[in-house]
Amino acid sequence: MNAPVDVSFFARAAKPLTSYRPYWAKRFGVAPFLPMSRAEMEQLGWDSCDIVLVTGDAYIDHPSFGMAVIGRVLEAQGFRVGIIAQPDWQSAEPFKALGKPNLFWGVTAGNMDSMINRYTADRKIRSDDAYTPGDVGGKRPDRAAIVYSQRCREAYKDVPIVLGGIEGSLRRIAHYDYWSDKVRRSIVVDSKCDLLLYGNAERALVEVAHRIAAREPIEHITDVRGTAFVRRPGDPTAEGWIELDSSEVDQSGHVEDHINPYLTTSEQAQAQGQSFSTEDPLPGQPLAGEGKSLPLPLGEGRGEGSPATQPIRFIQNPNLRTTASPHPDPLPEGEGVRNITIHRPQGAGGVARLPRERTVIRLPSYEQVKSDAVLYAHANRVLHLETNPGNARALVQAHGEGATARDVWINPPPIPLTTAEMDWAFDLPYARSPHPAYADEHGRHDGATKIPAWEMIRFSVNIMRGCFGGCTFCSITEHEGRIIQSRSEESIIKEVEDIRDKVDGFTGVISDLGGPTANMYRLGCRSPAIEAACRKPSCVYPGICQNLTTNHDPLIRIYRRARALRGIKKILIGSGLRYDLAVKSPEYVKELVQHHVGGYLKIAPEHTEGGPLSKMMKPGIGSYDKFKAMFEKYSEEAGKKQFLIPYFIAAHPGTSDEDMMNLAIWLKKNGFRADQVQTFYPSPMATATAMYHTSLNPLKGVHRDERAEKVDIVRGDKRRRLHKAFLRYHDPNNWPLLREALKTLGRADLIGNGKHHLIPTFQPITDGGYQSARRKNSTAGGVKPSERAAAVVKSTSANPVSSRKGQILTQHTGLPPRAGVKAKRR
């Protein structure tokens, strides 16, 4: 039986979150809700806030919302924390609501990227926002992290700005921006923040807060893991780093021959076409007129004629030294050495021996990746290789030239939290409800002011963080990392009991015990040493790593203990299930299927064909078939009629029209009619987004010649509509497009009126309507596209941009126009 992974060794080198001396303001105690107004501050006895958090989400004091976690963590450290949620960004006045922060601003766009929150995969404006009271759209600006940071600077320009959240994490280097269809600069440059914290930032934020409170200038805080910042040329804080130049893709070159350690000096010289005589300077003796010495060959002392016998001296093999280094001596270690730029030698070793903790990799500059797709793919590959906290090196990327030149410096990822630290963060005194300011006239949050995102997680429990799946279209790994951070069983059970006893409206059903993935709780590498050295992007692709524990026993114990609690009627699992892991534990599948499925279980095979699956780093459809067989077996044993609901992605990089046709055939053969169809959405910094932008596959290495793997990219509205239509083959609105495509693919045999045909030959009258299980996602029939677009614009009351004929209707980008200032035409 595999032993569960308890605490990763990474945490041993990190300072515990609870070991800091509390700030003096801890005497004010715990706030029922973090204040959002001056009146609330006065009730708490505060004259000012030490830290003011600005967020694009409504303030919900629940551990599933990042701003609440950050606020409560800082409060527990003794700081007075206020929150400005969804401020009116059209002026700086709303940002002064709580007064001037004593220490710094904390800025985030919210739990979602503001652009993904605002636009569909087809770049159409959404009319709703699940993180806003009443599900109202338009309450945050596009690129909210940038806009909020600039307004904070306008409000109090001398207060440091610390940027965080997923929007900052995914834009920490130059990145392809799907909405503007261009490469944008690092958000550190565009927001002009003083410090960016990426990933789950509790550890970094606590250290930064205490150092700023100790009056350390924020520009001197350059050594915290999980942070990014701007460095100007000649910055003294950059002294002592060894720079590894990776601003170009590797080119094939000469492979140096290994030196035979058994050859004498003269034999080595003869092999290289040179001579060595007793008249030549002996190794270790000065060269005439140069004051330099020749190194001793490996294992060789003084030869005959030497004045005295010398002990054997071992030195570094000169052929393994990195070329183009200005330093002739062995690479320095420690502080106080000058910067060294290392150009990676072709065919030579030596780079691996550089001290990783003092090595920084120079990525291609913003200007380079903006104009060169190959270098963009290369930079993306390097970034993803440097994500393991056990071996990641710092990264640096130049932005600008001449007087505007500066480097964006990205420190290695944060050390994951221990189980004890996870418990501490989740056990803080959350109110577990939205702020009272959002209550309706009845003092409730489930009416007109209901916040859908809170409703979704109201009765759920987050049991872990991170994901080692490495799916290329997903950004969880880039944000949370692939090291699983798990809470203890006691902490999880305590939260279930708190929901039962304290949350209004609880009926006995827990909606989820999960996280980014339902069944990675306490899974991890068998060997801490291997875990620290591993650079694989996924632990489960192309197959499950032999070093990965797959024991689901700890999760089974939690399920059984939680559902046995008094007052708990049902425990459902709503998080995404990694079914290729689940089949390794039949007992877990049985437990899940017979006790924790509410009739339907959603899983995500994403596709059936090998081409797109290889670009997604997802398992083959055979794993789904194995899980389906187990699901049906255990459902039948329990006497339950239950169903699997598979999810698929249309138009993912690497997907051909024929792949989508085969998927549609599979769907019909298995009796599936997809309701909600997701078209590939290129989120910043994801590997699949790099494929979309460059048509190259960074997973296979990046080259400028025929070795580079080209990726079929689905661009253009017509082809994206076609791939989506294959998933909804049953919709008569799609049949004309599918008939044309099937004929082009040479598969007209799939058109007919039999059960084995994909679509019929007849065409009913259609009105263009789209029926969805979610009413707000449906489109009424008989509505012209122009009328639909006008309705969307009308519903977006916060959109300050007026449309003109031929203009694509999108929300504004950047700062809104100020009063009396004429807006620029775009």
Side-chain angles (χ1 to χ4, degrees), residues 366-409:
Y366 159 69
E367 286 74 19
Q368 287 178 296
V369 299
K370 181 180 180 180
S371 58
D372 190 331
V374 173
L375 289 182
Y376 183 96
H378 169 66
N380 182 270
R381 177 175 171 83
V382 172
L383 182 137
H384 283 85
L385 287 174
E386 301 297 330
T387 56
N388 183 348
N391 59 39
R393 292 164 286 194
L395 303 173
V396 63
Q397 185 176 53
H399 284 63
E401 299 172 346
T404 64
R406 66 273 211 204
D407 284 339
V408 172
W409 190 285

Side-chain angles (χ1 to χ4, degrees), residues 256-263 268 272 297-298 317-320:
E256 298 287 349
D257 296 329
H258 291 289
I259 292 180
N260 186 338
Y262 305 109
L263 295 179
Q268 287 184 21
Q272 297 174 8
L298 183 62
N317 186 334
N319 273 25
L320 297 183

Side-chain angles (χ1 to χ4, degrees), residues 338-582:
R338 63 182 181 273
N339 280 3
I340 301 171
T341 300
I342 307 294
H343 298 280
R344 181 187 296 274
Q346 303 305 324
V351 172
R353 289 200 302 275
L354 299 178
R356 301 183 80 85
E357 69 279 2
R358 300 300 297 171
T359 302
V360 59
I361 300 176
R362 179 163 293 278
L363 300 174
S365 69
Y366 159 69
E367 286 74 19
Q368 287 178 296
V369 299
K370 181 180 180 180
S371 58
D372 190 331
V374 173
L375 289 182
Y376 183 96
H378 169 66
N380 182 270
R381 177 175 171 83
V382 172
L383 182 137
H384 283 85
L385 287 174
E386 301 297 330
T387 56
N388 183 348
N391 59 39
R393 292 164 286 194
L395 303 173
V396 63
Q397 185 176 53
H399 284 63
E401 299 172 346
T404 64
R406 66 273 211 204
D407 284 339
V408 172
W409 190 285
I410 304 170
N411 282 329
I415 300 296
L417 300 186
T418 64
T419 295
E421 288 173 320
M422 286 281 286
D423 289 351
W424 176 80
F426 278 86
D427 291 346
L428 293 172
Y430 301 96
R432 301 192 69 86
S433 71
H435 190 277
Y438 304 126
D440 59 20
E441 64 273 16
H442 304 294
R444 300 181 62 83
H445 299 283
D446 52 6
T449 61
K450 181 172 67 176
I451 304 173
W454 171 69
E455 192 71 20
M456 183 181 298
I457 56 84
R458 186 177 181 181
F459 308 120
S460 70
V461 178
N462 195 330
I463 66 174
M464 46 78 70
R465 284 179 181 171
C467 180
F468 48 70
C471 300
T472 61
F473 53 81
C474 179
S475 300
I476 292 175
T477 302
E478 285 88 341
H479 182 62
E480 295 193 4
R482 62 184 180 90
I483 307 298
I484 302 302
Q485 303 160 73
S486 301
R487 296 170 63 185
S488 71
E489 182 178 317
E490 293 302 322
S491 176
I492 294 167
I493 295 301
K494 178 180 179 296
E495 185 170 350
V496 173
E497 292 174 331
D498 285 345
I499 293 174
R500 178 196 64 191
D501 300 337
K502 300 176 183 178
V503 178
D504 186 37
F506 181 63
T507 61
V509 178
I510 297 293
S511 60
D512 188 25
L513 289 181
T517 307
N519 59 321
M520 288 187 182
Y521 178 76
R522 288 191 177 274
L523 300 189
C525 194
R526 301 176 192 274
S527 165
I530 293 175
E531 184 179 42
C534 183
R535 288 160 65 84
K536 290 178 63 177
S538 172
C539 300
V540 289
Y541 183 85
I544 296 175
C545 178
Q546 62 182 359
N547 297 309
L548 180 70
T549 59
T550 57
N551 179 24
H552 286 58
D553 288 352
L555 197 52
I556 294 172
R557 285 197 301 270
I558 289 176
Y559 287 179
R560 290 174 177 171
R561 185 175 172 186
R563 73 168 185 264
L565 292 174
R566 175 187 55 82
I568 301 299
K569 299 177 183 177
K570 186 81 172 178
I571 302 281
L572 298 175
I573 304 303
S575 298
L577 183 76
R578 192 77 196 200
Y579 53 86
D580 52 342
L581 281 175

Side-chain angles (χ1 to χ4, degrees), residues 63-354:
S64 290
F65 294 84
M67 226 11 41
V69 175
I70 290 301
R72 290 298 186 182
V73 165
L74 289 171
E75 180 189 57
Q77 297 291 325
F79 300 104
R80 293 169 293 177
V81 183
I83 287 189
I84 299 177
Q86 297 188 320
D88 179 358
W89 66 90
Q90 302 201 42
S91 76
E93 287 305 311
F95 293 76
K96 299 178 182 179
L98 302 181
K100 183 178 180 179
N102 298 324
L103 300 179
F104 62 88
W105 295 99
V107 177
T108 177
N111 264 26
M112 282 184 69
D113 181 279
S114 63
M115 300 300 287
I116 295 176
N117 176 277
R118 186 60 173 155
Y119 297 98
T120 69
D122 296 325
R123 299 190 181 98
K124 296 178 181 178
I125 298 176
R126 301 184 195 271
S127 60
D128 56 353
D129 183 345
Y131 292 88
T132 301
D135 200 14
V136 177
K139 291 296 185 180
R140 76 186 84 207
D142 286 358
R143 315 191 195 286
I146 296 175
V147 177
Y148 290 160
S149 296
Q150 294 183 16
R151 289 303 193 215
C152 288
R153 189 72 75 195
E154 290 178 26
Y156 302 107
K157 65 178 182 180
D158 57 336
V159 177
I161 297 173
V162 178
L163 184 63
I166 194 165
E167 184 164 307
S169 282
L170 302 189
R171 289 175 166 80
R172 57 187 184 260
I173 64 169
H175 56 279
Y176 172 72
D177 183 76
Y178 173 64
W179 302 271
S180 59
D181 194 25
K182 66 179 183 181
V183 175
R184 289 180 64 92
R185 301 184 299 184
S186 164
I187 199 170
V188 181
V189 175
D190 282 344
S191 68
K192 298 180 175 62
C193 65
D194 295 283
L195 200 63
L196 167 69
L197 308 187
Y198 67 88
N200 293 121
E202 292 96 341
R203 193 181 301 286
L205 188 62
V206 167
E207 179 178 349
V208 169
H210 281 288
R211 290 171 67 172
I212 293 177
R215 302 195 176 185
E216 181 175 353
I218 194 168
E219 59 269 18
H220 293 174
I221 303 177
T222 61
D223 57 343
V224 179
R225 296 178 69 107
T227 63
F229 48 89
V230 168
R231 268 187 168 137
R232 298 285 181 178
D235 190 330
T237 62
E239 288 295 323
W241 286 85
I242 302 165
E243 185 177 292
L244 183 60
D245 190 343
S246 190
S247 59
E248 287 290 343
V249 296
D250 293 341
Q251 301 289 330
S252 57
H254 173 67
V255 177
E256 298 287 349
D257 296 329
H258 291 289
I259 292 180
N260 186 338
Y262 305 109
L263 295 179
T264 64
T265 304
S266 57
E267 289 171 333
Q268 287 184 21
Q270 185 176 2
Q272 297 174 8
Q274 301 172 0
S275 63
F276 182 85
S277 65
T278 55
E279 287 77 25
D280 294 327
L282 290 171
Q285 289 183 339
L287 292 170
E290 296 187 14
K292 297 182 180 179
S293 301
L294 287 176
L296 285 165
L298 183 62
E300 191 171 329
R302 297 290 187 185
E304 291 184 8
S306 59
T309 303
Q310 300 292 329
I312 295 176
R313 183 160 61 99
F314 294 92
I315 67 162
Q316 183 182 12
N317 186 334
N319 273 25
L320 297 183
R321 288 186 181 179
T322 305
T323 61
S325 171
H327 203 294
D329 302 320
L331 294 172
E333 297 180 1
E335 300 291 339
V337 299
R338 63 182 181 273
N339 280 3
I340 301 171
T341 300
I342 307 294
H343 298 280
R344 181 187 296 274
Q346 303 305 324
V351 172
R353 289 200 302 275
L354 299 178

Side-chain angles (χ1 to χ4, degrees), residues 776-798:
K776 67 180 181 180
N777 286 349
S778 299
T779 301
V783 180
K784 296 179 181 179
S786 59
E787 294 173 352
R788 277 200 299 272
V792 170
V793 174
K794 184 177 180 181
S795 68
T796 312
S797 58

